Amino acid sequence: MNNRLKVLRAERNMTQGALAEALDVSRQTINALETGKYDPSLPLAFKLARLFGVPIEDIFQDEPGQP
């Protein structure tokens, strides 16, 4: 799954640590999300959308050809 998490975080001058703290997850989780190694749970995706004030679809997009 592609995402714009790193871009959105950078636009707000947030570190991975600050974002992790705001979401109550580890910095490693944020890194794994940004690098595409981990897809978020639905509750975490909603938290991210609320935090950034955008729809989930503006953060995460399906990769072409994926079911």
Side-chain angles (χ1 to χ4, degrees):
M1 180 179 298
N2 295 320
N3 70 71
R4 296 184 56 240
L5 189 54
K6 187 173 184 176
V7 171
L8 292 168
R9 181 177 58 76
E11 287 174 354
R12 288 156 180 81
N13 296 315
M14 292 181 83
T15 63
Q16 286 183 341
L19 180 56
E21 188 174 319
L23 297 170
D24 198 29
V25 298
S26 70
R27 186 199 57 77
Q28 290 83 358
T29 296
I30 300 302
N31 183 268
L33 287 168
E34 288 184 355
T35 58
K37 294 177 184 172
Y38 171 71
D39 290 336
S41 65
L42 194 54
L44 182 54
F46 274 108
K47 281 184 179 181
L48 284 161
R50 278 193 299 272
L51 181 73
F52 290 121
V54 297
I56 291 174
E57 296 85 1
D58 285 358
I59 303 173
F60 300 99
Q61 299 87 33
D62 284 335
E63 293 181 33
Q66 295 293 319

